[in-house]
Amino acid sequence: MELNQLNMPLLEKLFSASITFREVPTEKLGELGRSVMEMLGVAPYFPIPLYVLHTCNRVEVYAWDVPQPIVHAVLSRYGGYADRVVVRRGTEAALHLLEVAAGLDSMLIGETDILGQMEEAFDSQVKSHVTRDLLKVVVERAIRFGKMVRTNTNISRGPRGLGSLSIIYVKETMGDLSNLSIGIIGAGSVGQGLAKELKDEGARRIYILNRTFEKAKEIAERIGATAMPLNRESIDECLKKCDVVFATATSFEPIIKEVPPNHKVRLIVDLGVPMNVSNNLPVKVVRLDDLKPIADRYNSERLQEIQKVKAMALEEVENIERALARRAVEIELGEYMRLVALISQEEGRRAGANASLAANSAAKRAVLPLIEALKKHAESGNIETVMQILNDAKRLMKIPQASTS
């Protein structure tokens, strides 16, 4: 079935605004990311849920049931590049998010870094109550889909992310990793993946720098590396000790602004979000664009998997609509059950204190079969009818007045 043939009344409320390495140079994405990420500071007070995804290759905003003034507010965050933002709605936005999670929209098709970055953003924004309600269901399902695709297809066969490509670049440029001292700045999902892969590829001397020293220590102990705090002094020390330094931190200001006069470092790989390394340093700095020729080599091997993943994504869009229908009914039923509890408590009070608990239990038992039936009807595509039934039932329900005695 074609996308435009699908009837998805709930997913039609999904909105996305996206700008990627295809629309603007990667160094500009960092500037845009700063502006868009500032929305998270006020997002808990927004009337709508948001999910913001900022990586080295994209700056995207997903929102639910968006009024036009909010659309303008979101697009204004992209500043002078607002005319390059790709706006999607409904099933098109859902399909795009699924393809992002599957790695189809990445520089390296099928890369896995994006999945870790999506999970980190999701966990943080759910905790701060930014990503919530039905939007939470959509993002959660997309992350689950990304994992399923990589298990059931060969879309990620070979190098697994930009970290893998950068390791290939270093090996092709500088030779055997076992002869090199290597530093990693940042212990997020990209930094952790790099550390493990470097160890597996034969690196013997690895230094891990992170703002949270305990996290750096935990990873270092796991792979036999050396943990260091992340500050100006330790960065200088790393540049003096290491032949190669990978910068993978999330920081809106460059972390490596200069190199000390007696530095040992010969190559710095910048995988940060946004760029971690200043321009015009006296050593070679590898940017994302430098990795594209290597990505293209492996992308050609993965082309045959793309159509398979796209077909799976189209099917998953329908699954998401069903999950949304179930969740929407659950939310509405929560309010309905609150009203049932009020009535049962009042009836129990009238019958005597000992009868209150029994009345509440009996009411729930009587309503539960109806609840499950309504959820199944919603999942079958009858969400609008089910919601109308619930609204009618609440309107007809006689709510007891609070006792004045």
Side-chain angles (χ1 to χ4, degrees):
M1 184 178 290
E2 296 295 326
L3 189 64
N4 58 12
Q5 295 177 306
L6 298 174
N7 180 28
M8 305 282 175
L10 286 171
L11 268 178
E12 287 308 310
K13 297 181 179 181
L14 183 62
F15 163 90
S16 73
S18 172
I19 197 164
T20 73
F21 66 97
R22 295 184 181 88
E23 287 80 41
V24 299
T26 52
E27 63 267 20
K28 293 295 182 184
L29 288 174
E31 300 173 17
L32 296 177
R34 179 200 292 264
S35 176
V36 173
M37 291 295 284
E38 286 174 354
M39 292 178 64
L40 295 180
V42 295
Y45 307 101
F46 262 42
I48 59 168
L50 293 175
Y51 174 65
V52 181
L53 180 63
H54 177 209
T55 75
C56 48
N57 275 332
R58 69 188 62 253
V59 182
E60 299 191 338
V61 178
Y62 295 84
W64 191 262
D65 203 10
V66 187
Q68 197 58 36
I70 299 294
V71 172
H72 293 319
V74 169
L75 294 180
S76 70
R77 291 289 178 169
Y78 290 89
Y81 294 94
D83 60 334
R84 303 190 195 183
V85 174
V86 180
V87 173
R88 299 176 176 89
R89 294 179 183 274
T91 51
E92 185 185 8
L95 194 61
H96 174 69
L97 181 59
L98 290 172
E99 292 184 355
V100 169
L104 296 192
D105 199 52
S106 298
M107 181 186 294
L108 174 65
I109 295 170
E111 55 100 356
T112 58
D113 292 339
I114 184 64
L115 207 49
Q117 291 163 333
M118 286 182 68
E119 284 192 285
E120 286 183 349
F122 178 74
D123 291 344
S124 170
Q125 292 171 41
V126 167
K127 282 182 181 176
S128 58
H129 205 57
V130 173
T131 306
R132 58 190 187 273
D133 304 333
L134 296 184
L135 181 60
K136 178 184 174 185
V137 174
V138 176
V139 180
E140 203 166 28
R141 294 285 305 208
I143 293 171
R144 189 186 309 175
F145 175 76
K147 294 176 181 178
M148 183 264 289
V149 159
R150 289 170 176 83
T151 301
N152 296 334
T153 73
N154 292 320
I155 197 69
S156 297
R157 187 175 181 181
R160 298 178 64 83
L162 295 178
S164 302
L165 297 183
S166 65
I167 292 173
I168 293 171
Y169 184 100
V170 170
K171 289 169 68 175
E172 291 179 352
T173 304
M174 302 186 68
D176 192 344
L177 296 180
S178 65
N179 297 324
L180 303 174
S181 295
I182 300 173
I184 302 172
I185 298 175
S189 58
V190 176
Q192 290 185 54
L194 261 175
K196 182 181 184 304
E197 195 165 347
L198 284 165
K199 187 68 175 180
D200 292 344
E201 290 290 324
R204 296 177 181 174
R205 297 181 298 279
I206 302 174
Y207 300 87
I208 301 174
L209 291 70
N210 197 55
R211 294 186 187 92
T212 306
F213 178 71
E214 291 72 19
K215 188 173 182 180
K217 186 177 179 182
E218 176 190 339
I219 299 167
E221 288 175 349
R222 199 158 56 228
I223 66 167
T226 301
M228 300 172 67
L230 178 54
N231 53 46
R232 179 71 265 160
E233 292 73 22
S234 62
I235 291 172
D236 283 350
E237 184 180 352
C238 180
L239 295 171
K240 292 176 184 178
K241 284 183 175 180
C242 297
D243 303 286
V244 180
V245 173
F246 294 85
T248 74
T250 298
S251 173
F252 288 115
E253 297 295 334
I255 290 177
I256 301 178
K257 299 180 180 179
E258 58 186 8
V259 294
N262 53 344
H263 64 85
K264 180 183 179 182
V265 66
R266 292 180 283 157
L267 190 70
I268 301 174
V269 182
D270 190 353
L271 301 177
V273 181
M275 293 193 304
N276 284 180
V277 185
S278 295
N279 293 316
N280 303 317
L281 295 183
V283 296
K284 168 66 177 175
V285 177
V286 178
R287 309 285 187 187
L288 293 179
D289 291 343
D290 297 314
L291 302 178
K292 193 173 185 307
I294 303 176
D296 290 342
R297 288 191 336 229
Y298 290 96
N299 284 343
S300 63
E301 299 173 6
R302 299 177 180 185
L303 292 178
Q304 61 185 2
E305 295 296 298
I306 292 178
Q307 290 308 314
K308 185 188 301 184
V309 174
K310 285 192 172 185
M312 294 167 68
L314 200 58
E315 183 178 330
E316 182 61 20
V317 169
E318 298 184 70
N319 294 334
I320 291 175
E321 177 71 13
R322 284 192 287 270
L324 286 171
R326 186 176 182 87
R327 181 59 186 145
V329 171
E330 287 173 348
I331 292 171
E332 196 65 29
L333 281 168
E335 174 62 15
Y336 184 82
M337 289 304 295
R338 185 186 71 81
L339 300 178
V340 169
L342 283 175
I343 292 173
S344 64
Q345 287 167 13
E346 177 62 16
E347 292 301 316
R349 186 186 65 79
R350 290 175 181 172
N354 292 335
S356 179
L357 184 60
N360 193 33
S361 176
K364 288 183 178 178
R365 288 176 60 191
V367 172
L368 282 177
L370 175 62
I371 289 174
E372 289 306 313
L374 289 172
K375 287 180 181 178
K376 287 180 180 178
H377 277 288
E379 289 175 345
S380 300
N382 300 313
I383 178 64
E384 293 174 348
T385 302
V386 170
M387 297 298 276
Q388 185 62 52
I389 290 170
L390 284 170
N391 287 328
D392 288 346
K394 285 193 296 183
R395 190 169 59 251
L396 295 170
M397 192 178 286
K398 295 181 179 179
I399 308 301
Q401 298 298 314
S403 176
T404 57
S405 58

Short mmCIF file of all heavy atoms in Angstrom, two decimals, residues 52-98:
data_model
loop_
_atom_site.label_atom_id
_atom_site.label_comp_id
_atom_site.label_asym_id
_atom_site.label_seq_id
_atom_site.Cartn_x
_atom_site.Cartn_y
_atom_site.Cartn_z
N VAL A 52 13.52 16.78 20.13
CA VAL A 52 14.56 17.47 19.37
C VAL A 52 15.76 16.53 19.21
O VAL A 52 16.26 15.98 20.20
CB VAL A 52 15.00 18.77 20.06
CG1 VAL A 52 16.07 19.48 19.24
CG2 VAL A 52 13.80 19.69 20.28
N LEU A 53 16.19 16.35 17.98
CA LEU A 53 17.31 15.47 17.67
C LEU A 53 18.41 16.28 16.99
O LEU A 53 18.23 16.79 15.89
CB LEU A 53 16.86 14.33 16.76
CG LEU A 53 17.93 13.31 16.35
CD1 LEU A 53 18.48 12.58 17.57
CD2 LEU A 53 17.37 12.31 15.35
N HIS A 54 19.55 16.42 17.69
CA HIS A 54 20.68 17.18 17.15
C HIS A 54 21.90 16.28 17.14
O HIS A 54 22.38 15.84 18.19
CB HIS A 54 20.95 18.42 18.03
CG HIS A 54 22.14 19.20 17.59
ND1 HIS A 54 22.91 19.95 18.45
CD2 HIS A 54 22.71 19.34 16.37
CE1 HIS A 54 23.89 20.53 17.78
NE2 HIS A 54 23.79 20.17 16.51
N THR A 55 22.39 15.96 15.94
CA THR A 55 23.60 15.17 15.80
C THR A 55 24.54 15.93 14.86
O THR A 55 24.22 17.03 14.40
CB THR A 55 23.30 13.78 15.21
OG1 THR A 55 23.02 13.91 13.81
CG2 THR A 55 22.12 13.13 15.91
N CYS A 56 25.69 15.32 14.57
CA CYS A 56 26.63 16.00 13.69
C CYS A 56 26.10 16.12 12.26
O CYS A 56 26.62 16.89 11.46
CB CYS A 56 27.97 15.26 13.68
SG CYS A 56 27.84 13.47 13.45
N ASN A 57 25.05 15.35 11.93
CA ASN A 57 24.53 15.36 10.57
C ASN A 57 23.13 15.94 10.43
O ASN A 57 22.62 16.02 9.32
CB ASN A 57 24.50 13.92 10.01
CG ASN A 57 25.83 13.52 9.41
OD1 ASN A 57 26.58 14.36 8.94
ND2 ASN A 57 26.14 12.24 9.44
N ARG A 58 22.47 16.32 11.56
CA ARG A 58 21.08 16.77 11.44
C ARG A 58 20.64 17.60 12.64
O ARG A 58 21.18 17.43 13.75
CB ARG A 58 20.14 15.57 11.27
CG ARG A 58 20.00 14.68 12.49
CD ARG A 58 19.22 13.41 12.18
NE ARG A 58 19.91 12.63 11.17
CZ ARG A 58 19.51 12.51 9.91
NH1 ARG A 58 18.38 13.07 9.52
NH2 ARG A 58 20.21 11.81 9.05
N VAL A 59 19.67 18.45 12.41
CA VAL A 59 18.97 19.18 13.47
C VAL A 59 17.48 19.06 13.16
O VAL A 59 16.99 19.65 12.20
CB VAL A 59 19.38 20.67 13.54
CG1 VAL A 59 18.66 21.36 14.69
CG2 VAL A 59 20.89 20.81 13.71
N GLU A 60 16.76 18.29 13.99
CA GLU A 60 15.36 17.98 13.68
C GLU A 60 14.48 18.23 14.90
O GLU A 60 14.89 17.99 16.04
CB GLU A 60 15.20 16.53 13.23
CG GLU A 60 15.99 16.22 11.97
CD GLU A 60 15.64 14.87 11.37
OE1 GLU A 60 15.12 13.99 12.09
OE2 GLU A 60 15.91 14.68 10.17
N VAL A 61 13.27 18.67 14.63
CA VAL A 61 12.27 18.87 15.67
C VAL A 61 11.02 18.08 15.29
O VAL A 61 10.54 18.19 14.15
CB VAL A 61 11.89 20.36 15.83
CG1 VAL A 61 10.80 20.52 16.90
CG2 VAL A 61 13.12 21.18 16.20
N TYR A 62 10.52 17.29 16.22
CA TYR A 62 9.25 16.59 16.05
C TYR A 62 8.28 17.14 17.09
O TYR A 62 8.67 17.38 18.23
CB TYR A 62 9.43 15.08 16.23
CG TYR A 62 10.32 14.46 15.17
CD1 TYR A 62 11.71 14.48 15.29
CD2 TYR A 62 9.76 13.88 14.03
CE1 TYR A 62 12.52 13.95 14.30
CE2 TYR A 62 10.57 13.34 13.04
CZ TYR A 62 11.94 13.38 13.18
OH TYR A 62 12.75 12.84 12.19
N ALA A 63 7.04 17.33 16.69
CA ALA A 63 6.05 17.89 17.60
C ALA A 63 4.68 17.28 17.30
O ALA A 63 4.47 16.67 16.25
CB ALA A 63 6.00 19.42 17.47
N TRP A 64 3.77 17.45 18.26
CA TRP A 64 2.46 16.80 18.17
C TRP A 64 1.35 17.83 18.21
O TRP A 64 1.32 18.69 19.09
CB TRP A 64 2.30 15.81 19.32
CG TRP A 64 1.10 14.92 19.17
CD1 TRP A 64 -0.12 15.06 19.75
CD2 TRP A 64 1.02 13.76 18.35
NE1 TRP A 64 -0.97 14.06 19.34
CE2 TRP A 64 -0.30 13.24 18.48
CE3 TRP A 64 1.92 13.09 17.51
CZ2 TRP A 64 -0.72 12.09 17.81
CZ3 TRP A 64 1.50 11.95 16.85
CH2 TRP A 64 0.20 11.47 17.00
N ASP A 65 0.44 17.73 17.22
CA ASP A 65 -0.75 18.57 17.17
C ASP A 65 -0.37 20.05 17.22
O ASP A 65 -0.74 20.78 18.15
CB ASP A 65 -1.69 18.20 18.33
CG ASP A 65 -3.13 18.60 18.04
OD1 ASP A 65 -3.42 18.98 16.89
OD2 ASP A 65 -3.96 18.55 18.97
N VAL A 66 0.38 20.48 16.22
CA VAL A 66 1.05 21.77 16.25
C VAL A 66 0.18 22.89 15.66
O VAL A 66 -0.16 22.84 14.47
CB VAL A 66 2.37 21.71 15.45
CG1 VAL A 66 3.16 22.99 15.61
CG2 VAL A 66 3.20 20.52 15.89
N PRO A 67 -0.15 23.90 16.43
CA PRO A 67 -0.83 25.08 15.87
C PRO A 67 0.16 25.90 15.05
O PRO A 67 1.38 25.84 15.26
CB PRO A 67 -1.31 25.84 17.10
CG PRO A 67 -0.37 25.43 18.19
CD PRO A 67 0.03 24.01 17.89
N GLN A 68 -0.34 26.68 14.12
CA GLN A 68 0.54 27.41 13.20
C GLN A 68 1.51 28.35 13.91
O GLN A 68 2.67 28.47 13.48
CB GLN A 68 -0.31 28.20 12.19
CG GLN A 68 0.47 28.66 10.96
CD GLN A 68 1.11 27.51 10.20
OE1 GLN A 68 0.54 26.43 10.11
NE2 GLN A 68 2.30 27.74 9.67
N PRO A 69 1.13 29.04 15.00
CA PRO A 69 2.12 29.89 15.67
C PRO A 69 3.35 29.11 16.18
O PRO A 69 4.46 29.62 16.17
CB PRO A 69 1.32 30.48 16.85
CG PRO A 69 -0.09 30.46 16.39
CD PRO A 69 -0.23 29.21 15.58
N ILE A 70 3.13 27.85 16.59
CA ILE A 70 4.25 27.03 17.04
C ILE A 70 5.12 26.63 15.86
O ILE A 70 6.36 26.58 15.96
CB ILE A 70 3.76 25.78 17.80
CG1 ILE A 70 2.96 26.20 19.04
CG2 ILE A 70 4.93 24.90 18.21
CD1 ILE A 70 3.77 26.90 20.09
N VAL A 71 4.51 26.36 14.71
CA VAL A 71 5.28 26.07 13.50
C VAL A 71 6.22 27.23 13.20
O VAL A 71 7.41 27.03 12.94
CB VAL A 71 4.34 25.80 12.30
CG1 VAL A 71 5.16 25.70 11.00
CG2 VAL A 71 3.53 24.54 12.51
N HIS A 72 5.69 28.44 13.25
CA HIS A 72 6.52 29.63 13.00
C HIS A 72 7.63 29.75 14.04
O HIS A 72 8.77 30.11 13.71
CB HIS A 72 5.66 30.89 13.01
CG HIS A 72 4.68 30.97 11.87
ND1 HIS A 72 5.02 30.61 10.59
CD2 HIS A 72 3.38 31.37 11.82
CE1 HIS A 72 3.98 30.79 9.79
NE2 HIS A 72 2.96 31.24 10.52
N ALA A 73 7.31 29.44 15.30
CA ALA A 73 8.31 29.53 16.36
C ALA A 73 9.44 28.52 16.13
O ALA A 73 10.62 28.84 16.33
CB ALA A 73 7.65 29.28 17.72
N VAL A 74 9.09 27.31 15.69
CA VAL A 74 10.10 26.29 15.43
C VAL A 74 10.97 26.71 14.25
O VAL A 74 12.21 26.68 14.33
CB VAL A 74 9.43 24.93 15.14
CG1 VAL A 74 10.45 23.93 14.61
CG2 VAL A 74 8.77 24.38 16.40
N LEU A 75 10.36 27.11 13.16
CA LEU A 75 11.13 27.47 11.97
C LEU A 75 12.02 28.68 12.21
O LEU A 75 13.11 28.78 11.63
CB LEU A 75 10.18 27.72 10.79
CG LEU A 75 9.39 26.49 10.30
CD1 LEU A 75 8.48 26.88 9.14
CD2 LEU A 75 10.33 25.37 9.89
N SER A 76 11.58 29.59 13.07
CA SER A 76 12.39 30.78 13.35
C SER A 76 13.72 30.41 14.00
O SER A 76 14.70 31.16 13.89
CB SER A 76 11.62 31.75 14.25
OG SER A 76 11.48 31.23 15.57
N ARG A 77 13.76 29.25 14.67
CA ARG A 77 15.00 28.81 15.32
C ARG A 77 16.09 28.44 14.31
O ARG A 77 17.26 28.32 14.67
CB ARG A 77 14.71 27.62 16.22
CG ARG A 77 13.88 27.97 17.45
CD ARG A 77 14.71 28.78 18.42
NE ARG A 77 13.97 29.18 19.59
CZ ARG A 77 14.52 29.70 20.67
NH1 ARG A 77 15.83 29.90 20.70
NH2 ARG A 77 13.79 30.06 21.70
N TYR A 78 15.70 28.21 13.06
CA TYR A 78 16.67 27.86 12.03
C TYR A 78 17.25 29.10 11.35
O TYR A 78 18.05 28.98 10.42
CB TYR A 78 16.03 26.94 10.99
CG TYR A 78 15.74 25.54 11.50
CD1 TYR A 78 14.53 25.24 12.11
CD2 TYR A 78 16.68 24.52 11.37
CE1 TYR A 78 14.25 23.96 12.58
CE2 TYR A 78 16.42 23.25 11.83
CZ TYR A 78 15.20 22.97 12.44
OH TYR A 78 14.94 21.70 12.90
N GLY A 79 16.82 30.28 11.81
CA GLY A 79 17.41 31.53 11.35
C GLY A 79 17.40 31.69 9.85
O GLY A 79 16.40 31.45 9.18
N GLY A 80 18.55 32.06 9.31
CA GLY A 80 18.68 32.32 7.88
C GLY A 80 18.57 31.08 7.01
O GLY A 80 18.54 31.20 5.77
N TYR A 81 18.51 29.91 7.64
CA TYR A 81 18.38 28.67 6.87
C TYR A 81 16.97 28.10 6.91
O TYR A 81 16.74 26.97 6.49
CB TYR A 81 19.37 27.62 7.40
CG TYR A 81 20.82 28.01 7.19
CD1 TYR A 81 21.53 28.68 8.17
CD2 TYR A 81 21.46 27.73 5.98
CE1 TYR A 81 22.85 29.04 7.98
CE2 TYR A 81 22.78 28.09 5.77
CZ TYR A 81 23.47 28.75 6.78
OH TYR A 81 24.77 29.11 6.57
N ALA A 82 16.02 28.88 7.42
CA ALA A 82 14.64 28.39 7.55
C ALA A 82 14.06 27.96 6.21
O ALA A 82 13.25 27.03 6.15
CB ALA A 82 13.76 29.46 8.19
N ASP A 83 14.49 28.63 5.12
CA ASP A 83 13.95 28.27 3.80
C ASP A 83 14.48 26.93 3.31
O ASP A 83 13.96 26.37 2.34
CB ASP A 83 14.28 29.37 2.78
CG ASP A 83 15.78 29.59 2.61
OD1 ASP A 83 16.53 29.30 3.56
OD2 ASP A 83 16.19 30.05 1.53
N ARG A 84 15.49 26.37 3.98
CA ARG A 84 16.03 25.07 3.59
C ARG A 84 15.48 23.93 4.45
O ARG A 84 15.78 22.76 4.21
CB ARG A 84 17.56 25.07 3.68
CG ARG A 84 18.22 26.16 2.85
CD ARG A 84 19.71 25.97 2.79
NE ARG A 84 20.39 27.16 2.30
CZ ARG A 84 21.69 27.25 2.09
NH1 ARG A 84 22.47 26.21 2.32
NH2 ARG A 84 22.23 28.37 1.64
N VAL A 85 14.72 24.27 5.47
CA VAL A 85 14.16 23.26 6.36
C VAL A 85 13.10 22.46 5.61
O VAL A 85 12.25 23.02 4.92
CB VAL A 85 13.54 23.91 7.61
CG1 VAL A 85 12.83 22.87 8.46
CG2 VAL A 85 14.63 24.62 8.42
N VAL A 86 13.17 21.14 5.75
CA VAL A 86 12.16 20.26 5.16
C VAL A 86 11.08 20.00 6.20
O VAL A 86 11.36 19.45 7.27
CB VAL A 86 12.79 18.92 4.71
CG1 VAL A 86 11.71 18.02 4.10
CG2 VAL A 86 13.92 19.17 3.71
N VAL A 87 9.87 20.44 5.91
CA VAL A 87 8.74 20.24 6.82
C VAL A 87 7.92 19.04 6.35
O VAL A 87 7.59 18.94 5.17
CB VAL A 87 7.85 21.50 6.88
CG1 VAL A 87 6.58 21.24 7.67
CG2 VAL A 87 8.63 22.67 7.48
N ARG A 88 7.64 18.15 7.27
CA ARG A 88 6.81 16.97 6.97
C ARG A 88 5.68 16.89 7.98
O ARG A 88 5.83 17.31 9.12
CB ARG A 88 7.65 15.69 7.03
CG ARG A 88 8.81 15.64 6.04
CD ARG A 88 9.65 14.38 6.23
NE ARG A 88 10.71 14.25 5.25
CZ ARG A 88 11.93 14.76 5.39
NH1 ARG A 88 12.24 15.46 6.49
NH2 ARG A 88 12.85 14.59 4.46
N ARG A 89 4.58 16.28 7.55
CA ARG A 89 3.45 16.11 8.44
C ARG A 89 2.87 14.71 8.29
O ARG A 89 3.02 14.07 7.25
CB ARG A 89 2.35 17.15 8.14
CG ARG A 89 2.77 18.59 8.43
CD ARG A 89 1.65 19.56 8.08
NE ARG A 89 2.05 20.95 8.27
CZ ARG A 89 1.96 21.61 9.42
NH1 ARG A 89 1.50 21.00 10.49
NH2 ARG A 89 2.34 22.87 9.51
N GLY A 90 2.22 14.28 9.34
CA GLY A 90 1.49 13.03 9.29
C GLY A 90 2.35 11.82 9.03
O GLY A 90 3.45 11.68 9.57
N THR A 91 1.86 10.92 8.17
CA THR A 91 2.57 9.67 7.91
C THR A 91 3.93 9.91 7.27
O THR A 91 4.86 9.13 7.47
CB THR A 91 1.72 8.76 7.00
OG1 THR A 91 1.29 9.50 5.85
CG2 THR A 91 0.50 8.24 7.74
N GLU A 92 4.06 10.99 6.50
CA GLU A 92 5.36 11.31 5.90
C GLU A 92 6.39 11.61 6.99
O GLU A 92 7.55 11.17 6.90
CB GLU A 92 5.23 12.51 4.96
CG GLU A 92 6.51 12.82 4.20
CD GLU A 92 6.41 14.07 3.35
OE1 GLU A 92 5.40 14.79 3.46
OE2 GLU A 92 7.36 14.34 2.60
N ALA A 93 5.99 12.34 8.02
CA ALA A 93 6.89 12.64 9.14
C ALA A 93 7.24 11.37 9.91
O ALA A 93 8.39 11.16 10.31
CB ALA A 93 6.26 13.66 10.08
N ALA A 94 6.25 10.49 10.11
CA ALA A 94 6.49 9.23 10.82
C ALA A 94 7.46 8.35 10.04
O ALA A 94 8.38 7.76 10.61
CB ALA A 94 5.18 8.50 11.06
N LEU A 95 7.25 8.26 8.73
CA LEU A 95 8.12 7.44 7.90
C LEU A 95 9.55 7.98 7.91
O LEU A 95 10.52 7.22 7.96
CB LEU A 95 7.58 7.39 6.48
CG LEU A 95 8.18 6.32 5.56
CD1 LEU A 95 7.91 4.93 6.11
CD2 LEU A 95 7.62 6.45 4.15
N HIS A 96 9.68 9.30 7.90
CA HIS A 96 11.02 9.91 7.95
C HIS A 96 11.72 9.54 9.25
O HIS A 96 12.89 9.15 9.24
CB HIS A 96 10.91 11.42 7.82
CG HIS A 96 12.22 12.12 8.01
ND1 HIS A 96 13.26 12.04 7.10
CD2 HIS A 96 12.69 12.90 9.03
CE1 HIS A 96 14.29 12.75 7.54
NE2 HIS A 96 13.97 13.27 8.70
N LEU A 97 11.01 9.64 10.38
CA LEU A 97 11.62 9.29 11.67
C LEU A 97 12.05 7.83 11.69
O LEU A 97 13.13 7.49 12.21
CB LEU A 97 10.64 9.57 12.80
CG LEU A 97 11.13 9.27 14.22
CD1 LEU A 97 12.38 10.10 14.55
CD2 LEU A 97 10.04 9.55 15.24
N LEU A 98 11.26 6.94 11.13
CA LEU A 98 11.62 5.53 11.07
C LEU A 98 12.88 5.33 10.21
O LEU A 98 13.77 4.55 10.57
CB LEU A 98 10.47 4.71 10.48
CG LEU A 98 9.23 4.55 11.36
CD1 LEU A 98 8.11 3.89 10.58
CD2 LEU A 98 9.55 3.76 12.63
#
